[in-house]
Amino acid sequence: MNDIRVLIGDDHRIVREGLKQMLGDLSNGLPSMTVRAEAQTGPEVLAAVQELGGSEGLDVVLLDIAMPGRDGLDVLQALHKDWPTLPVLMLSTYPEKQYAVRCIKLGASGYLNKSADADDMVSAVRKVAAGGLYVSAGTAEALAAAVGRNAGQGPEQLSHREHQVYRLLSTGHSVSEIGAQLGLAPNTVSTYRARILEKTGTKNDVELALYAERHGKAAPAA
């Protein structure tokens, strides 16, 4: 059986090195794993996948959510659009309840916290490489909660772009700062802000921050 060909996308070199060592040390069984490329920014991930021919040259992309240049959720969307058969396993320091459901809705083949056991990491890579969906106990709980939650409740109701603006607003960023970070005009950000306030039932940024605390504080953007 051929090796599982992996690309690691993470902005911290020590994390990339740790993942490489972990995959090498624990892939004694078949198939073994080979890291074909590394990337430390969102655009670098997309460029590396393109250079390797997408699913022709790779079997799995390990992708951090908090990536500079272009965040992991944006990169995930782009990969799913251009290479729909290429499995992407999202990695994060954030709890499953914050991002697992959103990642899977955007096309991820699984979501794994970076604190997961090494054996779980290897199992997850093998499962998604084989075409499966990796769902940890925490992710399964988050999915069940999302299914059971009434429409119009929780940040899961927000679109991808609305969620990007939401997490920046709830962590204290101004409209102009958000526009600069996401490449949007300030009036466009203001329009998203108005939609977010309406959907979350909040009246201002202070209430929105409290809402984010209640629903699992929004993680800082990359």
Side-chain angles (χ1 to χ4, degrees), residues 104-128:
I104 290 173
K105 284 182 177 180
L106 291 175
S109 295
Y111 183 98
L112 196 64
N113 195 283
K114 289 183 181 180
S115 64
D117 291 340
D119 288 339
D120 289 339
M121 180 75 70
V122 172
S123 296
V125 171
R126 285 196 170 127
K127 185 164 187 177
V128 302

Side-chain angles (χ1 to χ4, degrees), residues 127-145:
K127 185 164 187 177
V128 302
L133 178 66
Y134 179 80
V135 180
S136 67
T139 299
E141 184 178 341
L143 287 168

Side-chain angles (χ1 to χ4, degrees), residues 2-201:
N2 294 330
D3 289 353
I4 295 174
R5 301 161 299 176
V6 180
L7 182 150
I8 299 175
D10 194 288
D11 60 331
H12 294 100
R13 181 178 178 181
I14 191 170
V15 173
R16 298 196 305 272
E17 292 298 327
L19 288 170
K20 284 170 62 178
Q21 182 173 349
M22 182 188 304
L23 296 178
D25 290 348
L26 296 180
S27 62
N28 297 323
L30 294 176
S32 59
M33 303 180 196
T34 300
V35 176
R36 291 207 62 194
E38 301 175 42
Q40 61 181 358
T41 71
E44 286 180 6
V45 171
L46 295 175
V49 172
Q50 179 70 33
E51 183 177 348
L52 291 169
S55 51
E56 294 296 321
L58 290 167
D59 299 300
V60 179
V61 174
L62 296 182
L63 181 61
D64 186 17
I65 285 182
M67 295 285 285
R70 190 171 180 182
D71 75 21
L73 296 179
D74 268 348
V75 173
L76 170 62
Q77 275 194 311
L79 290 175
H80 189 59
K81 177 183 176 182
D82 294 339
W83 311 100
T85 63
L86 177 61
V88 180
L89 179 62
M90 300 300 292
L91 302 177
S92 177
T93 58
Y94 312 132
E96 283 90 341
K97 68 179 182 179
Q98 292 182 14
Y99 281 101
V101 174
R102 184 167 295 276
C103 287
I104 290 173
K105 284 182 177 180
L106 291 175
S109 295
Y111 183 98
L112 196 64
N113 195 283
K114 289 183 181 180
S115 64
D117 291 340
D119 288 339
D120 289 339
M121 180 75 70
V122 172
S123 296
V125 171
R126 285 196 170 127
K127 185 164 187 177
V128 302
L133 178 66
Y134 179 80
V135 180
S136 67
T139 299
E141 184 178 341
L143 287 168
V147 170
R149 189 179 289 118
N150 292 328
Q153 295 182 349
E156 291 82 6
Q157 68 189 294
L158 302 175
S159 70
H160 174 52
R161 183 63 86 182
E162 287 170 349
H163 191 269
Q164 287 182 309
V165 175
Y166 158 76
R167 61 178 180 163
L168 288 167
L169 283 171
S170 60
T171 50
H173 291 74
S174 68
V175 167
S176 59
E177 289 172 339
I178 294 170
Q181 184 157 334
L182 299 181
L184 300 172
N187 62 334
T188 301
V189 176
S190 295
T191 299
Y192 281 121
R193 177 181 177 276
R195 292 179 190 170
I196 292 163
L197 294 179
E198 181 179 359
K199 288 184 177 182
T200 58

